[in-house]
C-alpha cells in the first residue's frame, strides 16, 4: 500500500528498551477533498530513510498496516493498529496543465442573487 501527500512533520529518532529499539514518526497530509494527516512509523534501520526529507516536500511512502492484540491486567482484550513505512520517495510537485487557466475570482461574484427563493422549496443537497 502507499500514502502520498506532503510532509507535515518529521520527528526525531527515539530509542526504547535495553536492546535499543528505534522508531521515528512522520506525518503526511494527503491531497484530497478532505485532507488527512496520516502518522507513519519508521523503525530500526528504516529510521534513516527520513534523514534527507523536510516538511513541505511531496512524497510517496510505501506502508504496511500492522495490528496487535493486548490483554490488560483486568482481562480486557484491546486491539491496536499502526502504519509502518518501509520506503519513501520524493514526488515532483504538480505543474499546472498546459492551456488551462482558472477563472479570476471576480467571475464567481458576478452571479445575481436569487430573488425568488422560498424557504419551503425542496433542497436536495446532502448536507
Amino acid at each position: 500500500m502507499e500514502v502520498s501527500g506532503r510532509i507535515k512533520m518529521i520527528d526525531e529518532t527515539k530509542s526504547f528498551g535495553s536492546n535499543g529499539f528505534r522508531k521515528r514518526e512522520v506525518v503526511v497530509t494527503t491531497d484530497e477533498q478532505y485532507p488527512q494527516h496520516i502518522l507513519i512509523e519508521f523503525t530500526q534501520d528504516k529510521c534513516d530513510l527520513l534523514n534527507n526529507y523536510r516538511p513541505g516536500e511531496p512524497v510517496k511512502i510505501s506502508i504496511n498496516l500492522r495490528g496487535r492484540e493486548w490483554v490488560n491486567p483486568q482481562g480486557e482484550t484491546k486491539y491496536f493498529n499502526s502504519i509502518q513505512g518501509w520506503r519513501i520517495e520524493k514526488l515532483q510537485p504538480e505543474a499546472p496543465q498546459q492551456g488551462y487557466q482558472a477563472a479570476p475570482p471576480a467571475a464567481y461574484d458576478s452571479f445575481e442573487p436569487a430573488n425568488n427563493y422560498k424557504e419551503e422549496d425542496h433542497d436536495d443537497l446532502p448536507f
Side-chain angles (χ1 to χ4, degrees), residues 18-42:
S18 58
N19 62 356
F21 176 80
R22 297 183 334 141
K23 178 171 91 167
R24 192 169 184 189
E25 297 176 335
V26 61
V27 175
V28 173
T29 302
T30 61
D31 182 26
E32 49 196 357
Q33 183 177 0
Y34 300 105
Q36 302 296 306
H37 305 287
I38 309 294
L39 176 73
I40 301 169
E41 302 174 341
F42 284 77

Side-chain angles (χ1 to χ4, degrees), residues 2-8 27-32 36 38 40 56-61 88-91:
E2 295 174 339
V3 173
S4 295
R6 288 194 180 272
I7 296 175
K8 181 178 179 94
V27 175
V28 173
T29 302
T30 61
D31 182 26
E32 49 196 357
Q36 302 296 306
I38 309 294
I40 301 169
E57 289 184 308
V59 294
K60 177 171 70 172
I61 301 178
I88 181 170
E89 57 189 278
K90 291 182 184 181
L91 293 177

Side-chain angles (χ1 to χ4, degrees), residues 69-78 80:
E69 180 180 84
W70 175 70
V71 179
N72 70 16
Q74 293 77 31
E76 300 170 324
T77 303
K78 304 281 183 175
F80 298 92

Side-chain angles (χ1 to χ4, degrees), residues 95-105 107-108:
Q97 295 177 354
Q98 294 292 338
Y100 175 79
Q101 293 181 353
Y108 297 115

Side-chain angles (χ1 to χ4, degrees), residues 36-98:
Q36 302 296 306
H37 305 287
I38 309 294
L39 176 73
I40 301 169
E41 302 174 341
F42 284 77
T43 59
Q44 299 298 75
D45 61 328
K46 302 295 184 191
C47 293
D48 298 331
L49 295 175
L50 298 173
N51 289 344
N52 297 322
Y53 291 89
R54 302 286 171 259
E57 289 184 308
V59 294
K60 177 171 70 172
I61 301 178
S62 297
I63 61 167
N64 290 324
L65 295 177
R66 297 284 183 229
R68 64 187 179 283
E69 180 180 84
W70 175 70
V71 179
N72 70 16
Q74 293 77 31
E76 300 170 324
T77 303
K78 304 281 183 175
Y79 296 92
F80 298 92
N81 298 319
S82 62
I83 302 172
Q84 288 190 343
W86 54 273
R87 180 173 53 200
I88 181 170
E89 57 189 278
K90 291 182 184 181
L91 293 177
Q92 297 300 319
E94 288 188 24
Q97 295 177 354
Q98 294 292 338

